[in-house]
Structures are given as structure tokens and as C-alpha cells.
Amino acid sequence: MENNYVAYVKAVGNYDGSATGGAYIILKGNDTYKISSKAQVNTIAYKMELLTIVSVACSIPDGGSVVIFTNNKMLRSLNNLREIKDGANYPELKKLFLEQKKRLRRVDVMWRKKDNENIMFNSVTDHAEQVFEELCSKANIRDKRR
């Protein structure tokens, strides 16, 4: 069986960057390959979603192929990333992403609108929200999303 994977990533958080949670789900065929979630203080959602994409790429075995779905249109630019330019946002994460692209057969970051009927986006959003809310509770940070 080929090493083809599909992943869904999502980040949620406060608009002021006080706390953010992110999650990903990786599928291999019809089976769940890996689920992971993490939350951080002082992190914006863009950085957290970039971190989840890098984490997905790191989780794929050498020579594998992965399509990563995000509802963040800006992250599609990773498909064209060839070098880290001066002034780049989060160059350390983008450098790690480039390293992963080299060891994998293919990595595609695809934008997909999140909708209530997409079971995978709903599930990954639930995981991201859960770790975000747990972090807010532990760190006494007010949930400012609503």
C-alpha cells in the first residue's frame, strides 16, 4: 500500500493572541493514522495553524505523500515556498516545513471552506477548541472568541 495521507488542521484562539489551540487529524485511507492537539499562550492562530501543518509533515514517513486541508487561505502559500526570505513570518517553522518537503514525495496544502457538514473539519475543530479551553481555564485567561 502506498504511503498516501490526508490531513485536516485547525487553530482557534483569542484575537489578541493571549491563547491559541491547534489540532490535526491524519488519515491513511479510511483509517485514522494520528490525532494531535496542543495549546499555547501568547500565540496567534496563524502561527498555531502553521505549527500544525509542520507537525503533520513531520508525522508522515519518509517518501510519503500528504494533502493537508486548512481553512486558512494564507497557508496555501506554503506550496510555493522554496526558500526563507528576509522578513518572513515564523522563519523557523517555515524552514522546518521546507526540510520536511525534501524528505517527502509530495506535500500539498489545500484551502477548503469549513462548513458544518464536513465531519473531519468539525472533529479537528472540536479537538482544537478543547485544548484551547483547557489552557484558558488553567492559565486563567478569558475566552475572548465570543
Side-chain angles (χ1 to χ4, degrees):
M1 181 176 214
E2 291 189 40
N3 284 325
N4 295 321
Y5 301 83
V6 174
Y8 292 82
V9 300
K10 181 67 179 155
V12 299
N14 287 335
Y15 293 107
D16 64 2
S18 59
T20 305
Y24 64 84
I25 297 173
I26 304 172
L27 304 172
K28 184 174 184 182
N30 292 326
D31 298 323
T32 300
Y33 177 73
K34 185 174 182 181
I35 298 173
S36 184
S37 56
K38 182 176 184 172
Q40 293 181 346
V41 296
N42 301 320
T43 303
I44 64 171
Y46 175 84
K47 182 179 181 184
M48 181 58 78
E49 197 141 345
L50 175 58
L51 176 61
T52 61
I53 287 172
V54 170
S55 297
V56 166
C58 289
S59 298
I60 303 302
D62 289 350
S65 176
V66 62
V67 176
I68 304 169
F69 289 101
T70 175
N71 70 335
N72 185 322
K73 287 183 180 182
M74 293 186 300
L75 288 167
R76 292 179 300 180
S77 65
L78 293 172
N79 291 322
N80 304 316
L81 187 63
R82 302 283 180 259
E83 62 181 343
I84 308 303
K85 297 180 181 175
D86 289 339
N89 289 331
Y90 313 109
E92 67 286 347
L93 287 175
K94 290 180 177 176
K95 181 181 177 187
L96 184 54
F97 180 77
L98 284 176
E99 291 170 4
Q100 297 310 306
K101 278 180 74 169
K102 289 177 186 174
R103 66 171 195 81
L104 297 173
R105 184 171 31 96
R106 186 172 181 177
V107 179
D108 289 318
V109 180
M110 308 292 291
W111 175 78
R112 182 169 180 172
K113 181 180 177 183
K114 183 190 178 306
D115 61 54
N116 291 334
E117 294 178 18
N118 187 303
I119 294 169
M120 295 313 299
F121 262 133
N122 289 339
S123 182
V124 76
T125 300
D126 289 346
H127 286 286
E129 287 178 346
Q130 180 180 358
V131 295
F132 167 75
E133 291 165 2
E134 288 171 1
L135 174 66
C136 286
S137 178
K138 288 178 185 174
N140 200 25
I141 296 172
R142 189 167 66 87
D143 183 344
K144 299 174 184 172
R145 296 175 296 162
R146 297 168 181 46

